Amino acid sequence: MAFGLRRRACRASARADRLRYPGARSTSGLVAYLDGEPVGWCAVEPRTAYPQLTRTRVPWKGRQEDQTDDSVWAVTCFVTRKGFRRRGVTYALARATIDFARERGAQALEAYPMIIRPGVEITWGELHVGSRDVFLDAGFTEVSRPTLRRAVVRIDF
């Protein structure tokens, strides 16, 4: 998102605005630090805080869920700074979302990651939702496969 190819042409304040949801009163996420330096971030908050989730088919295809249930939280996005990728930042963030959501009253935590297959290229822009293996490693369970390339994973508390 904010760390894409347009970074040089975009001021820091404009990049920060891209991370905010229009009309949101607040936002919730986790920042990963390495030796005191921020190296990654992920979005995690009640599923109802993401109105775009109700307008897309991925979370709901083949499932009968109450879309207005505030007790279900969602992990929707990861960003890892250039120079710190492929060092386990996303894995650490995914694991941290579990306690973060549980401690704030979540009854369940979901994510909508990409399924990565050997030899099949995934572009950088697609992987901002994380990979299924990241969440499975953290203890989530796959609950549906709405498309060939996307999964819904969940952990119930």
Side-chain angles (χ1 to χ4, degrees):
M1 290 172 83
F3 301 104
L5 297 175
R6 298 180 198 185
R7 181 175 182 180
R8 282 181 238 113
C10 185
R11 291 185 16 206
S13 62
R15 288 194 308 272
D17 286 342
R18 290 181 186 172
L19 294 173
R20 294 186 182 95
Y21 290 98
R25 291 187 303 268
S26 65
T27 187
S28 176
L30 297 175
V31 177
Y33 290 88
L34 181 62
D35 298 327
E37 184 175 3
V39 297
W41 170 85
C42 73
V44 55
E45 60 186 320
R47 191 172 61 186
T48 54
Y50 302 106
Q52 70 275 21
L53 285 179
T54 62
R55 294 187 298 270
T56 183
R57 68 184 174 103
V58 168
W60 315 112
K61 185 177 178 188
R63 299 173 58 207
Q64 298 298 316
E65 289 281 325
D66 177 3
Q67 296 179 7
T68 64
D69 185 352
D70 281 330
S71 73
V72 179
W73 282 44
V75 181
T76 59
C77 182
F78 291 93
V79 176
T80 301
R81 283 181 53 199
K82 185 176 179 180
F84 296 94
R85 296 179 186 139
R86 300 194 185 280
R87 294 169 82 178
V89 173
T90 300
Y91 282 86
L93 282 167
R95 285 190 301 273
T97 64
I98 297 168
D99 288 337
F100 183 80
R102 183 186 301 129
E103 290 167 3
R104 285 155 183 78
Q107 297 298 306
L109 180 62
E110 291 186 346
Y112 318 100
M114 294 294 297
I115 298 167
I116 298 174
R117 291 192 169 88
V120 177
E121 187 175 327
I122 302 262
T123 66
W124 177 87
E126 291 178 304
L127 204 51
H128 71 279
V129 294
S131 74
R132 180 184 56 176
D133 291 346
V134 165
F135 290 101
L136 296 180
D137 185 69
F140 288 71
T141 302
E142 184 175 318
V143 295
S144 72
R145 179 95 47 101
T147 72
L148 292 175
R149 299 177 55 193
R150 293 292 289 272
V152 175
V153 295
R154 181 178 172 121
I155 189 167
D156 291 291
F157 304 128

